[in-house]
PDB file of all heavy atoms in Angstrom:
ATOM      1  N   VAL A   1     -12.071   9.041   6.078  1.00 72.00           N
ATOM      2  CA  VAL A   1     -11.971   9.300   4.634  1.00 72.00           C
ATOM      3  C   VAL A   1     -10.574   8.978   4.134  1.00 72.00           C
ATOM      4  O   VAL A   1     -10.382   8.374   3.070  1.00 72.00           O
ATOM      5  CB  VAL A   1     -12.348  10.760   4.324  1.00 72.00           C
ATOM      6  CG1 VAL A   1     -11.981  11.128   2.894  1.00 72.00           C
ATOM      7  CG2 VAL A   1     -13.834  10.986   4.546  1.00 72.00           C
ATOM      8  N   TYR A   2      -9.561   9.368   4.926  1.00 73.00           N
ATOM      9  CA  TYR A   2      -8.175   9.062   4.555  1.00 73.00           C
ATOM     10  C   TYR A   2      -7.955   7.551   4.501  1.00 73.00           C
ATOM     11  O   TYR A   2      -7.325   7.035   3.561  1.00 73.00           O
ATOM     12  CB  TYR A   2      -7.231   9.694   5.566  1.00 73.00           C
ATOM     13  CG  TYR A   2      -5.817   9.166   5.488  1.00 73.00           C
ATOM     14  CD1 TYR A   2      -4.935   9.592   4.493  1.00 73.00           C
ATOM     15  CD2 TYR A   2      -5.368   8.202   6.406  1.00 73.00           C
ATOM     16  CE1 TYR A   2      -3.644   9.089   4.413  1.00 73.00           C
ATOM     17  CE2 TYR A   2      -4.086   7.707   6.339  1.00 73.00           C
ATOM     18  CZ  TYR A   2      -3.226   8.145   5.335  1.00 73.00           C
ATOM     19  OH  TYR A   2      -1.956   7.636   5.256  1.00 73.00           O
ATOM     20  N   GLN A   3      -8.481   6.836   5.492  1.00 69.00           N
ATOM     21  CA  GLN A   3      -8.344   5.380   5.473  1.00 69.00           C
ATOM     22  C   GLN A   3      -9.077   4.770   4.283  1.00 69.00           C
ATOM     23  O   GLN A   3      -8.602   3.799   3.682  1.00 69.00           O
ATOM     24  CB  GLN A   3      -8.899   4.783   6.776  1.00 69.00           C
ATOM     25  CG  GLN A   3      -7.996   4.972   7.975  1.00 69.00           C
ATOM     26  CD  GLN A   3      -8.523   4.250   9.192  1.00 69.00           C
ATOM     27  OE1 GLN A   3      -9.739   4.144   9.390  1.00 69.00           O
ATOM     28  NE2 GLN A   3      -7.623   3.737  10.020  1.00 69.00           N
ATOM     29  N   GLY A   4     -10.226   5.350   3.934  1.00 66.00           N
ATOM     30  CA  GLY A   4     -10.964   4.847   2.779  1.00 66.00           C
ATOM     31  C   GLY A   4     -10.230   5.069   1.477  1.00 66.00           C
ATOM     32  O   GLY A   4     -10.286   4.235   0.564  1.00 66.00           O
ATOM     33  N   ILE A   5      -9.521   6.194   1.374  1.00 67.00           N
ATOM     34  CA  ILE A   5      -8.720   6.452   0.171  1.00 67.00           C
ATOM     35  C   ILE A   5      -7.523   5.519   0.122  1.00 67.00           C
ATOM     36  O   ILE A   5      -7.129   5.000  -0.931  1.00 67.00           O
ATOM     37  CB  ILE A   5      -8.272   7.928   0.147  1.00 67.00           C
ATOM     38  CG1 ILE A   5      -9.488   8.843  -0.001  1.00 67.00           C
ATOM     39  CG2 ILE A   5      -7.284   8.177  -0.982  1.00 67.00           C
ATOM     40  CD1 ILE A   5      -9.164  10.317   0.119  1.00 67.00           C
ATOM     41  N   ASP A   6      -6.956   5.273   1.314  1.00 61.00           N
ATOM     42  CA  ASP A   6      -5.786   4.388   1.376  1.00 61.00           C
ATOM     43  C   ASP A   6      -6.169   2.939   1.099  1.00 61.00           C
ATOM     44  O   ASP A   6      -5.442   2.201   0.430  1.00 61.00           O
ATOM     45  CB  ASP A   6      -5.154   4.516   2.767  1.00 61.00           C
ATOM     46  CG  ASP A   6      -3.791   3.849   2.830  1.00 61.00           C
ATOM     47  OD1 ASP A   6      -3.066   3.873   1.817  1.00 61.00           O
ATOM     48  OD2 ASP A   6      -3.447   3.308   3.901  1.00 61.00           O
ATOM     49  N   ASN A   7      -7.342   2.519   1.614  1.00 62.00           N
ATOM     50  CA  ASN A   7      -7.835   1.157   1.368  1.00 62.00           C
ATOM     51  C   ASN A   7      -9.272   1.247   0.847  1.00 62.00           C
ATOM     52  O   ASN A   7     -10.238   1.065   1.630  1.00 62.00           O
ATOM     53  CB  ASN A   7      -7.792   0.326   2.666  1.00 62.00           C
ATOM     54  CG  ASN A   7      -6.383   0.204   3.205  1.00 62.00           C
ATOM     55  OD1 ASN A   7      -5.503  -0.294   2.523  1.00 62.00           O
ATOM     56  ND2 ASN A   7      -6.180   0.661   4.433  1.00 62.00           N
ATOM     57  N   PRO A   8      -9.453   1.565  -0.402  1.00 57.00           N
ATOM     58  CA  PRO A   8     -10.811   1.827  -0.915  1.00 57.00           C
ATOM     59  C   PRO A   8     -11.689   0.580  -0.915  1.00 57.00           C
ATOM     60  O   PRO A   8     -11.245  -0.524  -1.219  1.00 57.00           O
ATOM     61  CB  PRO A   8     -10.558   2.318  -2.344  1.00 57.00           C
ATOM     62  CG  PRO A   8      -9.221   1.752  -2.723  1.00 57.00           C
ATOM     63  CD  PRO A   8      -8.418   1.669  -1.466  1.00 57.00           C
ATOM     64  N   ALA A   9     -12.959   0.813  -0.542  1.00 54.00           N
ATOM     65  CA  ALA A   9     -13.978  -0.236  -0.621  1.00 54.00           C
ATOM     66  C   ALA A   9     -15.109   0.296  -1.496  1.00 54.00           C
ATOM     67  O   ALA A   9     -15.929   1.093  -1.047  1.00 54.00           O
ATOM     68  CB  ALA A   9     -14.496  -0.591   0.775  1.00 54.00           C
ATOM     69  N   ILE A  10     -15.106  -0.104  -2.750  1.00 46.00           N
ATOM     70  CA  ILE A  10     -16.010   0.486  -3.732  1.00 46.00           C
ATOM     71  C   ILE A  10     -17.466   0.195  -3.401  1.00 46.00           C
ATOM     72  O   ILE A  10     -18.357   0.984  -3.692  1.00 46.00           O
ATOM     73  CB  ILE A  10     -15.662  -0.046  -5.144  1.00 46.00           C
ATOM     74  CG1 ILE A  10     -14.215   0.312  -5.486  1.00 46.00           C
ATOM     75  CG2 ILE A  10     -16.598   0.510  -6.201  1.00 46.00           C
ATOM     76  CD1 ILE A  10     -13.737  -0.232  -6.808  1.00 46.00           C
ATOM     77  N   ASP A  11     -17.733  -0.929  -2.756  1.00 54.00           N
ATOM     78  CA  ASP A  11     -19.121  -1.309  -2.510  1.00 54.00           C
ATOM     79  C   ASP A  11     -19.741  -0.601  -1.307  1.00 54.00           C
ATOM     80  O   ASP A  11     -20.925  -0.753  -1.038  1.00 54.00           O
ATOM     81  CB  ASP A  11     -19.201  -2.832  -2.300  1.00 54.00           C
ATOM     82  CG  ASP A  11     -18.318  -3.293  -1.141  1.00 54.00           C
ATOM     83  OD1 ASP A  11     -17.334  -2.597  -0.842  1.00 54.00           O
ATOM     84  OD2 ASP A  11     -18.624  -4.353  -0.562  1.00 54.00           O
ATOM     85  N   ASP A  12     -18.945   0.179  -0.552  1.00 64.00           N
ATOM     86  CA  ASP A  12     -19.443   0.819   0.661  1.00 64.00           C
ATOM     87  C   ASP A  12     -19.664   2.315   0.428  1.00 64.00           C
ATOM     88  O   ASP A  12     -19.087   3.157   1.112  1.00 64.00           O
ATOM     89  CB  ASP A  12     -18.455   0.594   1.816  1.00 64.00           C
ATOM     90  CG  ASP A  12     -19.143   0.694   3.169  1.00 64.00           C
ATOM     91  OD1 ASP A  12     -20.361   0.922   3.176  1.00 64.00           O
ATOM     92  OD2 ASP A  12     -18.455   0.570   4.184  1.00 64.00           O
ATOM     93  N   TRP A  13     -20.526   2.650  -0.519  1.00 70.00           N
ATOM     94  CA  TRP A  13     -20.799   4.049  -0.839  1.00 70.00           C
ATOM     95  C   TRP A  13     -21.569   4.742   0.278  1.00 70.00           C
ATOM     96  O   TRP A  13     -21.459   5.973   0.443  1.00 70.00           O
ATOM     97  CB  TRP A  13     -21.589   4.148  -2.141  1.00 70.00           C
ATOM     98  CG  TRP A  13     -20.762   3.863  -3.356  1.00 70.00           C
ATOM     99  CD1 TRP A  13     -20.751   2.719  -4.095  1.00 70.00           C
ATOM    100  CD2 TRP A  13     -19.809   4.742  -3.957  1.00 70.00           C
ATOM    101  NE1 TRP A  13     -19.857   2.825  -5.130  1.00 70.00           N
ATOM    102  CE2 TRP A  13     -19.261   4.058  -5.073  1.00 70.00           C
ATOM    103  CE3 TRP A  13     -19.371   6.037  -3.668  1.00 70.00           C
ATOM    104  CZ2 TRP A  13     -18.302   4.630  -5.890  1.00 70.00           C
ATOM    105  CZ3 TRP A  13     -18.407   6.609  -4.486  1.00 70.00           C
ATOM    106  CH2 TRP A  13     -17.877   5.911  -5.580  1.00 70.00           C
ATOM    107  N   ALA A  14     -22.370   4.015   1.022  1.00 70.00           N
ATOM    108  CA  ALA A  14     -23.184   4.638   2.071  1.00 70.00           C
ATOM    109  C   ALA A  14     -22.308   5.329   3.113  1.00 70.00           C
ATOM    110  O   ALA A  14     -22.578   6.476   3.504  1.00 70.00           O
ATOM    111  CB  ALA A  14     -24.062   3.585   2.741  1.00 70.00           C
ATOM    112  N   LYS A  15     -21.262   4.643   3.568  1.00 73.00           N
ATOM    113  CA  LYS A  15     -20.386   5.242   4.575  1.00 73.00           C
ATOM    114  C   LYS A  15     -19.634   6.448   4.023  1.00 73.00           C
ATOM    115  O   LYS A  15     -19.409   7.429   4.733  1.00 73.00           O
ATOM    116  CB  LYS A  15     -19.412   4.194   5.109  1.00 73.00           C
ATOM    117  CG  LYS A  15     -20.082   3.138   5.980  1.00 73.00           C
ATOM    118  CD  LYS A  15     -19.074   2.214   6.614  1.00 73.00           C
ATOM    119  CE  LYS A  15     -19.768   1.199   7.531  1.00 73.00           C
ATOM    120  NZ  LYS A  15     -18.797   0.269   8.152  1.00 73.00           N
ATOM    121  N   TRP A  16     -19.242   6.367   2.733  1.00 76.00           N
ATOM    122  CA  TRP A  16     -18.554   7.503   2.115  1.00 76.00           C
ATOM    123  C   TRP A  16     -19.457   8.731   2.110  1.00 76.00           C
ATOM    124  O   TRP A  16     -19.054   9.822   2.537  1.00 76.00           O
ATOM    125  CB  TRP A  16     -18.137   7.151   0.685  1.00 76.00           C
ATOM    126  CG  TRP A  16     -16.858   6.410   0.601  1.00 76.00           C
ATOM    127  CD1 TRP A  16     -16.673   5.067   0.642  1.00 76.00           C
ATOM    128  CD2 TRP A  16     -15.550   6.986   0.461  1.00 76.00           C
ATOM    129  NE1 TRP A  16     -15.345   4.755   0.533  1.00 76.00           N
ATOM    130  CE2 TRP A  16     -14.630   5.911   0.415  1.00 76.00           C
ATOM    131  CE3 TRP A  16     -15.070   8.281   0.372  1.00 76.00           C
ATOM    132  CZ2 TRP A  16     -13.260   6.104   0.287  1.00 76.00           C
ATOM    133  CZ3 TRP A  16     -13.712   8.491   0.236  1.00 76.00           C
ATOM    134  CH2 TRP A  16     -12.816   7.404   0.203  1.00 76.00           C
ATOM    135  N   LEU A  17     -20.661   8.574   1.636  1.00 79.00           N
ATOM    136  CA  LEU A  17     -21.589   9.700   1.569  1.00 79.00           C
ATOM    137  C   LEU A  17     -21.949  10.198   2.966  1.00 79.00           C
ATOM    138  O   LEU A  17     -22.098  11.413   3.192  1.00 79.00           O
ATOM    139  CB  LEU A  17     -22.856   9.283   0.816  1.00 79.00           C
ATOM    140  CG  LEU A  17     -22.673   8.945  -0.664  1.00 79.00           C
ATOM    141  CD1 LEU A  17     -23.982   8.425  -1.256  1.00 79.00           C
ATOM    142  CD2 LEU A  17     -22.198  10.173  -1.447  1.00 79.00           C
ATOM    143  N   TYR A  18     -22.077   9.269   3.913  1.00 80.00           N
ATOM    144  CA  TYR A  18     -22.406   9.636   5.290  1.00 80.00           C
ATOM    145  C   TYR A  18     -21.289  10.478   5.914  1.00 80.00           C
ATOM    146  O   TYR A  18     -21.541  11.486   6.579  1.00 80.00           O
ATOM    147  CB  TYR A  18     -22.649   8.366   6.099  1.00 80.00           C
ATOM    148  CG  TYR A  18     -23.476   8.572   7.347  1.00 80.00           C
ATOM    149  CD1 TYR A  18     -24.377   9.611   7.448  1.00 80.00           C
ATOM    150  CD2 TYR A  18     -23.365   7.693   8.417  1.00 80.00           C
ATOM    151  CE1 TYR A  18     -25.151   9.790   8.578  1.00 80.00           C
ATOM    152  CE2 TYR A  18     -24.135   7.858   9.563  1.00 80.00           C
ATOM    153  CZ  TYR A  18     -25.019   8.915   9.631  1.00 80.00           C
ATOM    154  OH  TYR A  18     -25.786   9.094  10.759  1.00 80.00           O
ATOM    155  N   MET A  19     -20.046  10.080   5.672  1.00 78.00           N
ATOM    156  CA  MET A  19     -18.913  10.832   6.215  1.00 78.00           C
ATOM    157  C   MET A  19     -18.830  12.228   5.590  1.00 78.00           C
ATOM    158  O   MET A  19     -18.559  13.222   6.279  1.00 78.00           O
ATOM    159  CB  MET A  19     -17.610  10.053   5.984  1.00 78.00           C
ATOM    160  CG  MET A  19     -17.451   8.833   6.876  1.00 78.00           C
ATOM    161  SD  MET A  19     -15.837   8.036   6.725  1.00 78.00           S
ATOM    162  CE  MET A  19     -15.927   7.348   5.067  1.00 78.00           C
ATOM    163  N   ILE A  20     -19.076  12.317   4.297  1.00 82.00           N
ATOM    164  CA  ILE A  20     -19.050  13.623   3.626  1.00 82.00           C
ATOM    165  C   ILE A  20     -20.155  14.526   4.177  1.00 82.00           C
ATOM    166  O   ILE A  20     -19.949  15.734   4.387  1.00 82.00           O
ATOM    167  CB  ILE A  20     -19.192  13.440   2.101  1.00 82.00           C
ATOM    168  CG1 ILE A  20     -17.943  12.739   1.545  1.00 82.00           C
ATOM    169  CG2 ILE A  20     -19.407  14.782   1.402  1.00 82.00           C
ATOM    170  CD1 ILE A  20     -18.055  12.356   0.091  1.00 82.00           C
ATOM    171  N   LEU A  21     -21.337  13.943   4.437  1.00 85.00           N
ATOM    172  CA  LEU A  21     -22.434  14.720   5.009  1.00 85.00           C
ATOM    173  C   LEU A  21     -22.058  15.272   6.379  1.00 85.00           C
ATOM    174  O   LEU A  21     -22.306  16.448   6.680  1.00 85.00           O
ATOM    175  CB  LEU A  21     -23.683  13.838   5.125  1.00 85.00           C
ATOM    176  CG  LEU A  21     -24.898  14.470   5.819  1.00 85.00           C
ATOM    177  CD1 LEU A  21     -25.426  15.644   5.004  1.00 85.00           C
ATOM    178  CD2 LEU A  21     -25.994  13.433   6.044  1.00 85.00           C
ATOM    179  N   TRP A  22     -21.442  14.445   7.219  1.00 84.00           N
ATOM    180  CA  TRP A  22     -21.047  14.905   8.551  1.00 84.00           C
ATOM    181  C   TRP A  22     -19.957  15.964   8.475  1.00 84.00           C
ATOM    182  O   TRP A  22     -19.961  16.936   9.249  1.00 84.00           O
ATOM    183  CB  TRP A  22     -20.579  13.717   9.396  1.00 84.00           C
ATOM    184  CG  TRP A  22     -21.713  12.916   9.943  1.00 84.00           C
ATOM    185  CD1 TRP A  22     -22.240  11.766   9.430  1.00 84.00           C
ATOM    186  CD2 TRP A  22     -22.508  13.229  11.082  1.00 84.00           C
ATOM    187  NE1 TRP A  22     -23.301  11.335  10.180  1.00 84.00           N
ATOM    188  CE2 TRP A  22     -23.494  12.211  11.209  1.00 84.00           C
ATOM    189  CE3 TRP A  22     -22.491  14.248  12.020  1.00 84.00           C
ATOM    190  CZ2 TRP A  22     -24.433  12.197  12.228  1.00 84.00           C
ATOM    191  CZ3 TRP A  22     -23.436  14.240  13.042  1.00 84.00           C
ATOM    192  CH2 TRP A  22     -24.379  13.218  13.135  1.00 84.00           C
ATOM    193  N   LEU A  23     -19.011  15.793   7.571  1.00 83.00           N
ATOM    194  CA  LEU A  23     -17.970  16.811   7.396  1.00 83.00           C
ATOM    195  C   LEU A  23     -18.583  18.147   7.010  1.00 83.00           C
ATOM    196  O   LEU A  23     -18.225  19.200   7.563  1.00 83.00           O
ATOM    197  CB  LEU A  23     -16.965  16.356   6.330  1.00 83.00           C
ATOM    198  CG  LEU A  23     -16.028  15.202   6.704  1.00 83.00           C
ATOM    199  CD1 LEU A  23     -15.211  14.769   5.493  1.00 83.00           C
ATOM    200  CD2 LEU A  23     -15.084  15.626   7.830  1.00 83.00           C
ATOM    201  N   ALA A  24     -19.520  18.134   6.057  1.00 87.00           N
ATOM    202  CA  ALA A  24     -20.162  19.365   5.609  1.00 87.00           C
ATOM    203  C   ALA A  24     -20.988  20.000   6.726  1.00 87.00           C
ATOM    204  O   ALA A  24     -20.981  21.226   6.913  1.00 87.00           O
ATOM    205  CB  ALA A  24     -21.039  19.081   4.387  1.00 87.00           C
TER     206      ALA A  24
END
């Protein structure tokens, strides 16, 4: 998530949501 914030990839929402799900 930190790397994604540092180098955002707007088109890769699936990985963002997947990481948030695993964190939760």
Side-chain angles (χ1 to χ4, degrees):
V1 168
Y2 166 78
Q3 285 186 326
I5 294 174
D6 191 34
N7 299 301
I10 301 176
D11 58 334
D12 204 1
W13 286 103
K15 290 186 178 179
W16 277 89
L17 294 175
Y18 202 26
M19 287 186 291
I20 293 173
L21 175 65
W22 281 97
L23 289 174

